[in-house]
Amino acid sequence: MVEFTFHFPSGFLWGTATSSHQVEGDNTNNDWWRWEQEPGRIRDGSRSGRACDWWRNAEADFDRAAAMGQNAHRLSIEWSRIEPREGVFDDAALDRYREMLRGLRERGIEPMVTLHHFTNPLWLAEQGGWENPLTVERFERYVRHAVSALKDLCRLWCTINEPNVLAYMGWNEGKWPPGKRDFGLSMQVLRHLMRAHARAYHVIHELQPEAQVGIAHNMVIFEPAHPASPLDRVIARLHDRMFNRLVLDAMAAGREPGLFSFRILTALRGTYDFIGLNYYTRRLSAFDRRSPATLFGRTFLNPHGELSDGEYGEVFPEGLYLLLKRLARYGKPIYVTENGIPDADDDQRPRFLVRHLHAMWRAIQQNVPVRGYFHWSLVDNFEWAEGWTLRFGLIEVDPETQARRPRRSADLYAEVCRANALTSETIIRHTPELLEEMFGISIG
């Protein structure tokens, strides 16, 4: 049989992504821990608790990542540990993060550090959190302190993870802390987040001129529910603008986020050395005159598509290709900083991986400057308001016993990482049903 190999560029980063609150355990000093204690906030009534016990023993999972051939890992540091009280910094916490970063490097794993991944110290939340414009300055102070302590061990920095998602879920949908439903307030929060990003960008380059700094930006493919409907097409474009473009326009052009905002902030313009893309799914957009609070539009999953566990999203690998092609216009390096699927029994993840990695390979062949891929996630973790109901890990975790069990997709991803390629041999071994789709051949 003819062999096929999809090679990736030399030096390509292959890794996984995690966040502090979801894996460290016992992050009792942030707004999410407090949110978990309130009845009805978490889908299954669970709590993060010990999570994956990384604060005490992240290195055991670093060993597992290294054994899988991964040469990179994206993790976040916890503001509430580093600055437990306003203006008071905990050197012991920073020492633990130094241990983690050093442990990654000793295993040949390049760290990418996210400075803010959804959680806020309690003292900050009690002062209004991201609604308060003073939070921008407080974030800058925290970033200066953290980067000064860690810069010799990290060259890749994400300032903020998914500012659009944070603003939307906390201040528009009300499903995350602080639980508000106010569109105007969500736009105010997004503006503060982007100003904080700009402050952080400049501080990092002041402290570490050679650093590479960006944002991990969640993007969704929005398509009209009825392509022949002019109103659905307008709503799809509006959803794309509000969710996808506002953050990109802020970083690239300095345009302050807002529905009708034309204000340009010079300090915000050009504040990215790379683009981090978090991609999971496609949604359909439809005009709905009954929904003025959502700008007369609604979105929903394709009822005819393949859906993941908990109907988290539609499996749509073509969307990764389309978004990478779109981001290439910005002329910056791109990292896929998150891409994954909740799949407890691992019956979808092997196909998901092969098809998304092939979509990324196609984009690279068309000169899209993708430099690395971080699968979400290395291990099962506490999935915010969904609790432990969604299992994203290549490695299964029992949060009660902390027992680990690699899923079969972990072996697939390990083969890709070690070879820096997706081969027909790997596809035959793990997803033979995709041979005809990818190569026009079948076996049997």
Side-chain angles (χ1 to χ4, degrees):
M1 179 179 174
V2 177
E3 294 184 358
F4 299 87
T5 302
F6 302 113
H7 292 282
F8 288 85
S10 176
F12 197 81
L13 295 185
W14 291 104
T16 46
T18 55
S19 86
S20 56
H21 188 75
Q22 293 177 271
V23 296
E24 286 179 358
D26 297 323
N27 268 315
T28 62
N29 193 35
N30 69 35
D31 55 350
W32 260 98
W33 182 277
R34 183 169 61 186
W35 186 258
E36 294 164 30
Q37 316 310 311
E38 299 178 11
R41 297 300 193 186
I42 308 302
R43 183 176 186 178
D44 59 351
S46 65
R47 297 173 180 173
S48 56
R50 290 173 62 196
C52 304
D53 206 26
W54 271 33
W55 193 245
R56 291 187 292 182
N57 193 23
E59 287 78 1
D61 283 330
F62 294 169
D63 286 338
R64 295 179 177 97
M68 291 167 61
Q70 295 176 36
N71 61 5
H73 185 78
R74 176 178 169 238
L75 73 166
S76 74
I77 58 176
E78 179 67 29
W79 188 354
S80 67
R81 288 191 189 272
I82 293 169
E83 191 179 0
R85 299 187 304 280
E86 183 175 5
V88 177
F89 292 90
D90 187 338
D91 290 339
L94 286 166
D95 287 343
R96 177 62 183 131
Y97 285 121
R98 286 189 60 82
E99 286 180 0
M100 289 186 188
L101 297 183
R102 191 179 298 112
L104 288 169
R105 289 205 167 276
E106 288 170 352
R107 292 163 175 80
I109 297 175
E110 175 89 20
M112 175 184 281
V113 171
T114 305
L115 291 158
H116 188 278
H117 198 124
F118 294 155
T119 58
N120 300 299
L122 282 175
W123 62 263
L124 188 78
E126 289 164 359
Q127 296 177 15
W130 289 103
E131 296 174 39
N132 187 343
L134 294 177
T135 297
V136 174
E137 298 172 10
R138 289 163 186 154
F139 184 67
E140 178 184 6
R141 179 183 61 195
Y142 151 69
V143 169
R144 182 177 294 277
H145 205 94
V147 173
S148 295
L150 304 175
K151 63 182 180 179
D152 60 314
L153 295 169
C154 178
R155 68 179 182 90
L156 296 171
W157 300 92
C158 290
T159 57
I160 298 173
N161 180 73
E162 300 182 348
N164 53 345
V165 173
L166 178 56
Y168 179 77
M169 294 299 289
W171 283 268
N172 202 58
E173 281 286 301
K175 294 180 179 179
W176 290 5
K180 298 186 178 181
R181 296 175 64 88
D182 184 322
F183 175 77
L185 204 52
S186 72
M187 286 294 99
Q188 176 180 309
V189 165
L190 185 58
R191 286 192 289 273
H192 292 164
L193 285 163
M194 294 311 300
R195 290 177 190 172
H197 156 75
R199 293 279 194 99
Y201 177 89
H202 294 298
V203 163
I204 295 169
H205 277 290
E206 173 194 328
L207 296 170
Q208 188 183 4
E210 74 281 8
Q212 294 289 293
V213 185
I215 271 181
H217 180 36
N218 186 300
M219 297 184 72
V220 170
I221 293 288
F222 293 102
E223 293 185 352
H226 302 93
S229 165
L231 289 174
D232 283 6
R233 293 199 302 270
V234 168
I235 292 298
R237 287 195 296 271
L238 179 61
H239 286 152
D240 177 75
R241 178 172 181 267
M242 299 303 295
F243 194 80
N244 293 331
R245 282 177 44 201
L246 288 185
V247 169
L248 294 170
D249 287 349
M251 289 191 300
R255 185 173 295 114
E256 194 171 45
L259 184 58
F260 302 109
S261 177
F262 302 99
R263 184 181 180 188
I264 299 296
L265 300 179
T266 304
L268 186 52
R269 181 188 294 151
T271 54
Y272 64 126
D273 306 314
F274 66 84
I275 299 173
L277 170 62
N278 293 359
Y279 171 70
Y280 290 93
T281 193
R282 165 176 70 169
R283 296 189 70 86
L284 303 183
S285 298
F287 174 75
D288 187 347
R289 62 171 53 89
R290 298 165 297 180
S291 301
T294 56
L295 305 177
F296 298 99
R298 59 186 175 90
T299 71
F300 53 93
L301 295 173
N302 179 6
H304 306 294
E306 179 187 359
L307 302 183
S308 60
D309 287 2
E311 296 191 352
Y312 177 83
E314 178 193 2
V315 178
F316 187 62
E318 183 69 10
L320 181 58
Y321 169 80
L322 294 172
L323 290 174
L324 289 172
K325 288 282 289 180
R326 178 175 173 180
L327 292 177
R329 305 170 194 162
Y330 291 86
K332 299 283 187 176
I334 302 166
Y335 293 93
V336 178
T337 38
E338 288 181 27
N339 176 239
I341 182 173
D343 182 19
D345 60 4
D346 212 41
D347 65 332
Q348 294 175 288
R349 190 177 288 105
R351 292 193 310 277
F352 180 99
L353 267 167
V354 168
R355 296 175 74 201
H356 282 79
L357 295 181
H358 183 249
M360 180 173 66
W361 177 86
R362 286 171 52 213
I364 292 171
Q365 302 318 297
Q366 296 180 26
N367 297 317
V368 177
V370 185
R371 302 289 188 254
Y373 175 89
F374 295 84
H375 187 73
W376 186 274
S377 177
L378 176 61
V379 288
D380 287 341
N381 52 48
F382 183 76
E383 191 54 39
W384 307 112
E386 303 300 319
W388 292 93
T389 64
L390 298 181
R391 299 303 185 108
F392 279 91
L394 295 169
I395 298 171
E396 180 182 348
V397 174
D398 182 331
E400 297 299 323
T401 66
Q402 292 298 312
R404 264 61 166 172
R405 183 183 68 83
R407 295 185 167 98
R408 66 188 183 104
S409 53
D411 292 332
L412 188 165
Y413 191 53
E415 289 182 22
V416 173
C417 295
R418 294 184 191 121
N420 194 33
L422 178 62
T423 68
S424 54
E425 182 180 350
T426 293
I427 295 170
I428 291 168
R429 181 161 35 250
H430 296 281
T431 56
E433 67 274 19
L434 293 182
L435 277 173
E436 185 168 4
E437 173 186 323
M438 299 185 68
F439 302 116
I441 58 176
S442 60
I443 60 174

